[in-house]
Amino acid sequence: MSEIPAVSRRLVLGGALGAGALAAGAGIGAPGAFAASPGAAPDTATALETVVAPRRKPGQKSMIDVAYAVHKTVRVGVIGLGNRGSGMTTGWSVVPGCTVTAVCDIRADRAKRVADGLAGQGKPRPAEYGGSADAYRKMLARDDIDLVYIATPWEFHYEQGRAALLAGKHVVVELPIATELDELWDLVDTSERTRRHLMLSENCSYGRNELALLKMAHEGLLGDITNGHGGYLHDLRALLFSDTYYTDAWRRRWHTRSTASFYAMHGLAPIAAAMDINRGDRMTTLTATATEPKGLADYRERFVPRSHPSWNETYINGDLVTCMIGTAQGRMIRAEHNVSSPRPYSRINTLAGSRGIFEDYAGGSPTGARVYVEPDHSGDTWRDFDAFRKEFDHWLWKKIGDDAENNGGHGGMDYVLQWRTVQLMRAGLVPDIDVYDSAAWCAPVPLSVKSLAAGGRPVAIPDFTRGSWVNLRLGLDSRASDMPPVA
């Protein structure tokens, strides 16, 4: 395979160089600074408002590199039992050393159905909560819950995530963790004050291709990383107009009230991880564009009867919302969101550097990906990713790949996320994805609205780490470890 540059990220993290020395040598600059590298986004001194991170309150400390306390068993409470929540509840229940102790949904019949299902599988029957909008608060008062998993509609994520932190629980929240900038900051601050972790349930960051790409990039095969593309391109029109799939049509209704890039994190997060965002680089500027909102209205015109309540709706969310994101190191990320157009599924997953390029969702092989890396490749001909994935397969997939494919949705990445989260808590390790990653990856939701309202002008992305982004540290590129034995 390709030669590896003399100093790879793995060697640096292994102790060959100090993180501070590497940061200085790479020209990262002072905490909060914006690079003036060629190709970087416009200088904030002339193009953007000044963004200053709010000061920490007395006694509030960073959660970076804070390990979980050791949990003999991880006891999970679930809020939200629709399609996503009910499926993931089963996933939590089959991870070694994990048990679901309580389930909650505003519709009490869902809680009963999920509890019945777990009991029918021979699992301990969880306590049931439901029947009111605040039923989850009663569940959070329990002292036999270590981790709360939230899979409700987007508008409830912030309130429920914050309440779980204040109740002394660690939290995993489906995308996004919040939809407003002040809410993102409040979740960061609440995590720091309560000393509890909150992470985005970014299952795609645990995809097999994504983790192999992460390892390739950090081993230096692509050279100096310069740009990447990621996003969420998924034709959801039939599901958005379904009367049963999204309860009360909550997801379609977001298209009537916001212009945001709702859900680009699935592709953005893996690219950000490969670029060491919050671990030596950070996202600094965002510029958004949007096409006209044509897709949902056109689908409704052709396939939805006039008696359907959607005919009272006006759609304002652009079919394709694109965010161009600049980083302090002068890199560029294109993050896209489109769920309103006819097209095959893609998360894009492209990463390029001075020595090569990786592209996913390109077809033509079982992995669906292709690669071109010097000096191995030449002649303007793409090569199959299969051999590279075998060489750079992440230790998590080597260890639990078969279990993941048998127990989890989305090709197994759901189970890998759940298994790893439980393992981290049971072994007392530092989380792969922390509240700072989660806030940064979700920041394009409100910032895309802000940029679009300003005619596509660039807006500043806050530094949720308050300067700690300059330090290299492990994340999804974790070192191999075992799940503690179950007594």
Side-chain angles (χ1 to χ4, degrees):
M1 303 302 290
S2 296
E3 297 178 0
I4 298 175
V7 179
S8 72
R9 184 181 190 278
R10 179 175 297 277
L11 290 175
V12 171
L13 289 172
L17 289 174
L22 182 72
I28 293 177
F34 290 78
S37 306
D43 179 25
T44 55
T46 58
L48 301 174
E49 75 279 15
T50 301
V51 176
V52 178
R55 289 184 178 274
R56 289 188 172 102
K57 295 181 179 180
Q60 187 176 322
K61 297 183 297 183
S62 172
M63 289 295 286
I64 288 177
D65 287 337
V66 174
Y68 288 106
V70 174
H71 293 74
K72 182 179 179 180
T73 300
V74 175
R75 301 165 299 178
V76 176
V78 178
I79 305 174
L81 299 169
N83 291 292
R84 181 63 174 162
S86 59
M88 289 290 280
T89 300
T90 300
W92 291 113
S93 75
V94 299
V95 177
C98 183
T99 184
V100 178
T101 55
V103 293
C104 177
D105 193 283
I106 192 171
R107 289 164 172 76
D109 61 310
R110 288 182 175 176
K112 183 179 185 304
R113 182 170 65 248
V114 170
D116 287 345
L118 291 179
Q121 296 164 19
K123 306 293 182 183
R125 185 183 184 88
E128 303 167 30
Y129 293 84
S132 66
D134 63 349
Y136 73 93
R137 293 187 179 275
K138 298 175 184 176
M139 188 190 83
L140 293 178
R142 298 179 65 96
D143 60 7
D144 60 352
I145 295 175
D146 307 303
L147 177 70
V148 173
Y149 168 72
I150 298 172
T152 52
W154 301 334
E155 53 263 42
F156 304 120
H157 288 184
Y158 160 68
E159 175 187 324
Q160 293 168 346
R162 184 175 186 274
L165 290 172
L166 292 173
K169 323 299 186 187
H170 299 291
V171 193
V172 174
V173 189
E174 282 296 334
L175 290 62
I177 62 170
T179 60
E180 300 293 341
L181 207 57
D182 60 341
E183 295 174 348
L184 293 172
W185 269 117
D186 191 40
L187 289 176
V188 168
D189 290 342
T190 304
S191 173
E192 291 185 345
R193 288 195 299 272
T194 61
R195 315 308 296 162
R196 294 295 182 268
H197 286 294
L198 180 145
M199 67 169 273
L200 181 70
S201 184
E202 187 36 83
N203 57 340
C204 296
S205 291
Y206 286 96
R208 194 163 206 157
N209 280 8
E210 286 88 343
L211 285 176
L213 170 63
L214 176 77
K215 189 175 178 183
M216 276 181 58
H218 287 176
E219 292 284 8
L221 254 73
L222 300 179
D224 293 328
I225 302 301
T226 58
N227 68 94
H229 309 156
Y232 187 71
L233 310 178
H234 189 185
D235 182 1
L236 292 180
R237 294 172 300 165
L239 295 179
L240 289 172
F241 285 100
S242 167
D243 290 331
T244 58
Y245 193 83
Y246 294 113
T247 304
D248 297 329
W250 69 263
R251 190 162 180 169
R252 188 181 73 240
R253 290 177 179 172
W254 271 93
H255 288 256
T256 70
R257 62 178 184 245
S258 177
T259 59
S261 174
F262 294 132
Y263 212 72
M265 298 80 83
H266 273 330
L268 170 61
I271 298 305
M275 287 186 177
D276 285 321
I277 297 301
N278 289 343
R279 291 164 170 78
D281 198 359
R282 81 172 186 90
M283 302 189 298
T284 57
T285 60
L286 179 148
T287 302
T289 61
T291 65
E292 290 295 317
K294 302 291 187 180
L296 295 186
D298 177 74
Y299 184 91
R300 180 179 61 187
E301 178 69 32
R302 291 184 292 147
F303 300 112
V304 179
R306 293 277 175 171
S307 59
H308 195 267
S310 64
W311 278 95
N312 296 319
E313 299 171 347
T314 300
Y315 305 112
I316 64 172
N317 191 262
D319 289 348
L320 174 65
V321 181
T322 301
C323 296
M324 295 300 297
I325 299 170
T327 81
Q329 287 279 34
R331 301 180 175 115
M332 294 299 298
I333 305 172
R334 187 185 78 222
E336 297 184 354
H337 178 267
N338 185 346
V339 299
S340 306
S341 304
R343 57 155 302 122
Y345 180 92
S346 175
R347 296 194 298 276
I348 309 174
N349 289 350
T350 298
L351 192 68
S354 59
R355 297 191 182 183
I357 183 171
F358 166 94
E359 285 190 356
D360 208 345
Y361 296 93
S365 78
T367 67
R370 59 189 185 181
V371 66
Y372 186 88
V373 176
E374 293 178 340
D376 287 8
H377 304 155
S378 61
D380 295 328
T381 302
W382 289 100
R383 307 303 169 93
D384 196 308
F385 181 56
D386 183 64
F388 285 86
R389 192 171 83 170
K390 289 177 181 176
E391 180 177 359
F392 293 97
D393 206 13
H394 195 278
W395 70 267
L396 277 167
W397 279 93
K398 292 179 180 179
K399 180 182 286 286
I400 62 168
D402 290 342
D403 289 339
E405 291 173 352
N406 292 329
N407 291 310
H410 296 100
M413 63 177 68
D414 290 348
Y415 183 80
V416 175
L417 178 148
Q418 293 175 302
W419 187 96
R420 176 61 171 165
T421 302
V422 172
Q423 184 220 13
L424 289 166
M425 294 182 67
R426 296 189 65 225
L429 301 175
V430 174
D432 299 339
I433 299 170
D434 58 31
V435 70
Y436 310 103
D437 302 319
S438 304
W441 298 344
C442 294
V445 178
L447 292 178
S448 58
V449 175
K450 187 175 182 180
S451 177
L452 289 171
R457 293 174 60 187
V459 296
I461 301 175
D463 172 18
F464 294 101
T465 73
R466 293 179 167 99
S468 294
W469 64 271
V470 298
N471 300 313
L472 280 178
R473 56 192 173 95
L474 290 172
L476 288 155
D477 54 345
S478 54
R479 297 189 175 96
S481 55
D482 294 322
M483 176 74 80
V486 178

